[in-house]
Amino acid sequence: MSKFWSPIVHQLTPYVPGEQPKINDLIKLNTNENPYGPSPKALTAIEIETGNSLRLYSDPTSERLVRSIAQYYQLKPKQVFVGNGSDEVLAHTFQALFQHGKPLLFPDITYSFYPVYCKLYNITAETVRLNKNLEIDVNDYQRPNSGIIFPNPNAPTGHGIGVDAIEALLKKNTDSAVVIDEAYIDFGGTSAVTLIDRYPNLLVIQTLSKSRSLAGLRVGFALGNEALIAGLTRVKDSFNSYPLSSIAISGACAAITDKAHFEYTRKRIISARALLTTQLNALGFNIIPSQANFLFVTHPEHDAADLASQLRVKNIIVRYFNKPRIDQYLRITIGTDDECKTLVSALKNIVNG
Ligand SMILES: *Cc1c(COP(=O)(O)O)cnc(C)c1O
């Protein structure tokens, strides 16, 4: 604490990310990183870019990347906004779209950065309870709001809803922005991108951190109606002219266009998820059906926090949230086949005593 802080700084509750341990021989299944690494074409592009003139500022509009993403999703460049990780895109979204006096709606169990942005930008929030199966039910979102946001698939549950449900929500909520955070969409969900041309209040946010295994490059983007994108751009241009480095722009362009690497790695994760689900079920775990690169699991006879610390002793890190309704769950990232195998045998030892 310091008397030099502005009053709002005293009020903040900063987000606490999952541990990034400094030791290497750990099986790290706690922050939903992709174990297969980025496209080799992205790495080459990054290398080439470091040989180019880093003396110069990067392109303030990230035009090459905006065009690559627009082409990939068959949108116009004016329907694409890029930022320094989707966390930054989310921050600008909260500031640009959600400050209208009525509460912003999001699930009671969801990405825990949302309430953090609400405090930072002085946005009132109202949480909407997930149903008893820990699923989002869009019918629960029919109440006065300044906006609606949730991840699809949701985090940390991994449960996804269909585009039809999102369309129903958009139809009943035409007076405020509906933001779908699709950080995990490439692992089996259906993107709402196809609704953009018909719903001017829809914003879809995605990231290269998970499905393209580029968490360290920090690139995220938003897709939506031109007017929504223009609002985000106004906020961005009032905050930082060059949020993406030249290196990030080049690497991200190459990653977006390398469809082969993308398909190969995401399919491996999807099949590893199916196998891990079967194996953990056999050990007595209950698992929420996942469309993401992680599983949200609970065991009727074993305390979740205790399981997490026993795994930590065996050099495996998973994510535990000490929060109401989910304090008996673990969120486990899908690793390589070998990592999953090690995890299953560790859990087998723990569960069978
Ligand atoms: C990982 C994650 C993000 C942030 O991704 P970055 O692009 O790395 O900032 C956003 N939303 C959800 C739901 C996530 O899980």
Side-chain angles (χ1 to χ4, degrees):
M1 271 226 268
S2 161
K3 68 173 181 178
F4 303 113
W5 287 3
S6 302
I8 192 176
V9 179
H10 295 271
Q11 306 300 321
L12 301 177
T13 318
Y15 179 74
V16 184
E19 185 190 355
Q20 293 294 355
K22 302 288 181 284
I23 24 180
N24 283 329
D25 57 348
L26 285 173
I27 296 188
K28 191 174 175 304
L29 306 176
N30 67 329
T31 53
N32 299 339
E33 287 136 332
N34 180 327
Y36 293 112
S39 152
K41 290 179 179 157
L43 298 179
T44 304
I46 287 167
E47 235 171 80
I48 292 170
E49 194 60 50
T50 58
N52 287 346
S53 196
L54 290 179
R55 182 180 70 80
L56 300 174
Y57 280 109
S58 56
D59 171 11
T61 64
S62 303
E63 190 186 330
R64 275 175 64 209
L65 179 57
V66 164
R67 285 188 183 282
S68 299
I69 294 169
Q71 191 170 22
Y72 184 88
Y73 284 107
Q74 306 191 325
L75 295 167
K76 293 181 223 141
K78 283 189 169 169
Q79 294 172 302
V80 178
F81 175 86
V82 297
N84 184 245
S86 61
D87 283 339
E88 186 186 82
V89 177
L90 284 164
H92 291 338
T93 300
F94 274 62
Q95 195 171 30
L97 305 181
F98 294 153
Q99 291 178 323
H100 295 285
K102 287 183 212 159
L104 170 68
L105 306 181
F106 53 79
D108 62 336
I109 296 162
T110 195
Y111 188 36
S112 36
F113 227 132
Y114 303 156
V116 174
Y117 295 132
C118 285
K119 281 206 172 166
L120 179 61
Y121 295 121
N122 206 10
I123 294 164
T124 52
E126 197 172 299
T127 55
V128 180
R129 233 179 121 80
L130 294 182
N131 72 16
K132 63 179 193 325
N133 301 323
L134 300 183
E135 297 166 355
I136 289 170
D137 182 342
V138 292
N139 295 311
D140 298 334
Y141 288 75
Q142 317 306 331
R143 47 179 112 165
N145 68 76
S146 271
I148 296 172
I149 184 166
F150 53 78
N152 188 40
N154 194 15
T157 61
H159 183 264
I161 61 173
V163 176
D164 47 342
I166 290 168
E167 183 160 20
L169 181 65
L170 287 162
K171 278 188 174 146
K172 289 195 180 148
N173 194 81
T174 50
D175 286 335
S176 53
V178 174
V179 179
I180 312 295
D181 179 352
E182 295 189 337
Y184 301 102
I185 199 69
D186 296 321
F187 300 108
T190 314
S191 175
V193 165
T194 49
L195 301 175
I196 284 172
D197 282 329
R198 278 180 291 140
Y199 296 92
N201 58 330
L202 169 63
L203 191 75
V204 172
I205 296 181
Q206 293 194 4
T207 175
L208 273 66
S209 297
K210 276 82 181 223
S211 57
R212 289 185 173 79
S213 202
L214 281 168
L217 197 65
R218 310 304 304 132
V219 181
F221 55 94
L223 310 169
N225 180 271
E226 283 184 27
L228 293 186
I229 299 301
L232 293 180
T233 303
R234 285 172 75 93
V235 171
K236 174 250 163 192
D237 286 334
S238 308
F239 177 81
N240 182 357
S241 299
Y242 313 100
L244 274 78
S245 68
S246 323
I247 291 168
I249 294 168
S250 286
C253 281
I256 290 284
T257 42
D258 187 352
K259 287 187 188 159
H261 180 82
F262 169 71
E263 286 300 332
Y264 173 72
T265 58
R266 84 187 179 101
K267 279 177 187 156
R268 284 197 74 163
I269 289 166
I270 291 168
S271 61
R273 179 179 71 208
L275 180 63
L276 188 61
T277 303
T278 311
Q279 292 170 322
L280 296 186
N281 274 329
L283 293 178
F285 284 92
N286 294 319
I287 305 169
I288 296 179
S290 173
Q291 293 189 332
N293 69 335
F294 56 84
L295 295 179
F296 204 48
V297 311
T298 183
H299 198 290
E301 286 134 34
H302 294 270
D303 179 67
D306 189 47
L307 284 174
S309 51
Q310 290 198 59
L311 285 172
R312 190 68 175 75
V313 173
K314 295 173 188 282
N315 286 337
I316 301 173
I317 327 185
V318 299
R319 192 81 186 263
Y320 171 73
F321 300 92
N322 191 5
K323 287 186 180 170
R325 294 184 85 193
I326 57 168
D327 64 352
Q328 283 309 318
Y329 282 83
L330 296 177
R331 194 195 66 191
I332 305 175
T333 305
I334 309 294
T336 59
D337 296 345
D338 277 351
E339 288 172 332
C340 290
K341 210 184 262 179
T342 308
L343 169 78
V344 170
S345 63
L347 283 172
K348 201 174 273 175
N349 283 331
I350 297 167
V351 167
N352 299 335

